[in-house]
Amino acid sequence: MNAERVEELIAALDRGEVRVAEPDGDEWRVNGEAQEAILEYFRLREMKPQEVGPFEYHDKIPLKHEYEKLGVRVVPPAVARYGSFLAPGVVMMPSYVNIGAWVGPRTMVDTWATVGSGAQIGADVHLAGGVGIGGVLEPPGARPVIVEDGAFIGSRCILTEGVRVGAGAVLGPNVSLTATVPIIDVTGPSAVEHRAYVPRRAVVVPGTRPRDFPAGTYHLACALIIGWRSESTELKVTLNEALRDHGLAV
């Protein structure tokens, strides 16, 4: 990919005209060319000092600008890199959004939350304090982390390796999901297991389950679907209220 095409794609990502991944019916379509452009952009750029008020940085990637024009609220010292897209109404508390990420309208990126490279965050999402959304760029064509519209992601949750959180889902604090962590629906007579996907409107909390090893039986992390978001929780504004509706002490 030549340098001109790389610059063109990064500028389009910054404007939201191109996305690393976008909805395609009930699935998501990954734009491998956009991922390749981001990787090539890192190779093409040189380290340069940057001064932002009293802060000094030394990096390859410029920062976003013109937040007032974009209709975005950015609380110091929040940082979004050039090549990320922030829709109107986004609020960034002191937090970080990396290149290639797409953040939808009215979403809150709360204090010390991080949105990794290429991650796709929908509209009206709340990423609570300390949430870690992992970046996925390699290999080109790999699905990034996706959080769909209206999801609540609780404090200190970690989502990596292309995990997809369905629209309206509620993740309680400290849920940690990778491509292989079991997400177990325990709401019916038999457990139903998911991997790398939280169903729409699921209410999820951290859990463990036993596994036998030569040295004995130990408990490994999993996540438990313990309920489904109802119309009453749809209107609630905090994760704790939604979780209390399912009998959890929070």
Side-chain angles (χ1 to χ4, degrees):
M1 188 182 302
N2 63 44
E4 183 178 354
R5 178 60 176 161
V6 169
E7 293 285 353
E8 178 184 300
L9 282 170
I10 299 302
L13 285 166
D14 191 76
R15 296 189 297 267
E17 296 168 359
V18 169
R19 295 174 63 168
V20 167
E22 55 188 324
D24 184 10
D26 291 332
E27 299 299 325
W28 283 73
R29 181 176 66 256
V30 178
N31 185 337
E33 186 186 29
Q35 292 172 320
E36 290 179 17
I38 294 169
L39 294 171
E40 188 63 25
Y41 192 60
F42 279 108
R43 288 187 280 267
L44 292 171
R45 300 283 302 180
E46 295 182 357
M47 297 286 288
K48 292 182 179 180
Q50 302 178 50
E51 292 189 7
V52 183
F55 300 103
E56 181 180 337
Y57 301 96
H58 189 226
D59 190 25
K60 292 185 173 186
I61 311 298
L63 302 180
K64 285 187 76 70
H65 293 282
E66 298 185 329
Y67 290 119
E68 184 177 8
K69 181 179 178 181
L70 295 173
V72 174
R73 178 185 174 195
V74 181
V75 178
V79 171
R81 267 176 155 178
Y82 176 69
S84 62
F85 174 73
L86 305 176
V90 165
V91 176
M92 285 184 64
M93 299 303 286
S95 55
Y96 182 77
V97 176
N98 209 344
I99 186 172
W102 192 98
V103 183
R106 301 172 301 280
T107 283
M108 164 70 80
V109 185
D110 220 328
T111 305
W112 307 136
T114 58
V115 181
S117 304
Q120 303 294 297
I121 311 297
D124 301 302
V125 170
H126 189 130
L127 304 179
V131 164
I133 305 294
V136 177
L137 292 175
E138 297 182 280
R143 188 176 76 182
V145 176
I146 296 166
V147 180
E148 296 180 350
D149 294 352
F152 284 179
I153 311 298
S155 295
R156 277 32 181 199
C157 284
I158 299 173
L159 307 176
T160 61
E161 296 184 328
V163 165
R164 176 183 170 190
V165 177
V170 175
L171 273 58
N174 297 311
V175 171
S176 183
L177 299 179
T178 69
T180 57
V181 170
I183 303 162
I184 307 170
D185 179 359
V186 296
T187 61
S190 299
V192 177
E193 188 169 311
H194 305 269
R195 299 286 177 123
Y197 175 62
V198 176
R200 293 169 57 91
R201 306 181 70 83
V203 177
V204 183
V205 297
T208 63
R209 67 175 181 180
R211 181 173 174 180
D212 294 329
F213 294 91
T217 300
Y218 296 88
H219 285 75
L220 298 181
C222 66
L224 302 177
I225 299 173
I226 51 88
W228 303 92
R229 197 171 175 190
S230 65
E231 291 183 6
S232 62
T233 59
E234 184 73 23
L235 299 177
K236 295 190 181 296
V237 295
T238 71
L239 282 164
N240 287 349
E241 288 177 298
L243 292 170
R244 288 189 185 107
D245 276 3
H246 293 275
L248 296 179
V250 290

